[in-house]
Amino acid sequence: MESRIATLEVDMKYVRRDLDEVRDDVRVIRDRVGSIETTLAGMSARAEAGFEAVDTRFESMESRLDAKFDTVDAKFEAKFEAMDAKFDAMDAKFDAMDAKFDAMDAKFDGSESRSDAKFKGLDDKFEAKFEAIMAKLEKLDAFPTKLQLSLWFGGAMLFFLSCTVAIIAVLLRMMGHTDLANVVEAVRG
């Protein structure tokens, strides 16, 4: 009976020693988990600051682009108004020429066959010129609208944002934060 108690006491010493080792291991694990939580909190704060910086830059770029669009729009408007003035002047010249041709018709009533042939040629030339001017005017209508420009700008911004997120993921991988990089890539899709 005495030997059994001695064996139990020895076994209890080993159990006690093993429990002490387990307790120390649990403390080390607890400390490591605490440092990981601190590191993750710091990374989260830095990522949030980075996202806010990206948002600020995006808003700045958007306002500058809006200002540039307004400037370009004003320039186009000024050019179109100048062209309208030139076309009005051309219309006045054409009206003056029409008046001259009417006077010439009155003078040459006696020689209708010759004058008709000449006027037919002139009329064809003016018609060709007028059609060329109308073709140029139709080309002016082919400029993109503000909506199209806005959609193009939105697509470009999405592309740049996607590139920025990819760069952030690469930088995180380079810094040894592969898990966070995987999260960023998963969010990016």
Side-chain angles (χ1 to χ4, degrees):
M1 176 88 157
E2 201 65 37
S3 68
R4 288 174 143 184
I5 291 176
T7 306
L8 283 174
E9 285 178 352
V10 169
D11 288 344
M12 278 306 288
K13 283 182 186 178
Y14 289 129
V15 169
R16 178 119 183 130
R17 185 195 68 201
D18 291 344
L19 281 175
D20 288 340
E21 287 177 9
V22 168
R23 186 179 304 144
D24 290 339
D25 290 343
V26 167
R27 282 187 191 131
V28 169
I29 291 170
R30 211 179 294 153
D31 290 341
R32 285 184 182 171
V33 168
S35 70
I36 290 172
E37 288 175 350
T38 303
T39 303
L40 285 177
M43 288 173 55
S44 175
R46 284 190 301 241
E48 189 64 34
F51 289 143
E52 288 176 10
V54 167
D55 286 344
T56 303
R57 284 184 181 173
F58 181 73
E59 289 171 1
S60 171
M61 287 174 61
E62 184 179 19
S63 64
R64 284 186 299 191
L65 194 60
D66 284 344
K68 288 187 181 196
F69 277 141
D70 292 341
T71 303
V72 168
D73 189 37
K75 286 181 181 179
F76 276 134
E77 196 64 38
K79 293 288 184 185
F80 288 140
E81 288 176 8
M83 288 176 63
D84 284 341
K86 287 180 181 179
F87 285 130
D88 290 342
M90 287 176 58
D91 283 342
K93 287 180 182 178
F94 284 138
D95 289 342
M97 289 174 74
D98 283 342
K100 288 180 182 179
F101 286 130
D102 289 342
M104 287 175 66
D105 278 345
K107 287 181 183 178
F108 295 111
D109 278 341
S111 58
E112 273 187 43
S113 63
R114 274 187 320 159
S115 17
D116 282 347
K118 288 182 180 181
F119 283 122
K120 174 88 170 112
L122 285 174
D123 190 39
D124 290 343
K125 285 181 183 177
F126 284 118
E127 185 68 31
K129 295 273 186 185
F130 186 72
E131 287 178 11
I133 289 171
M134 291 306 290
K136 288 179 181 178
L137 285 176
E138 289 176 8
K139 286 182 182 178
L140 290 177
D141 288 338
F143 283 103
T145 63
K146 285 183 180 180
L147 177 62
Q148 289 170 327
L149 291 174
S150 297
L151 290 174
W152 292 343
F153 173 74
M157 286 299 103
L158 285 175
F159 171 75
F160 287 131
L161 184 60
S162 176
C163 289
T164 303
V165 170
I167 289 171
I168 289 170
V170 168
L171 290 174
L172 286 172
R173 282 192 195 285
M174 288 173 49
M175 292 171 48
H177 303 291
T178 56
D179 292 336
L180 189 56
N182 289 337
V183 169
V184 168
E185 286 180 353
V187 169
R188 186 181 72 149

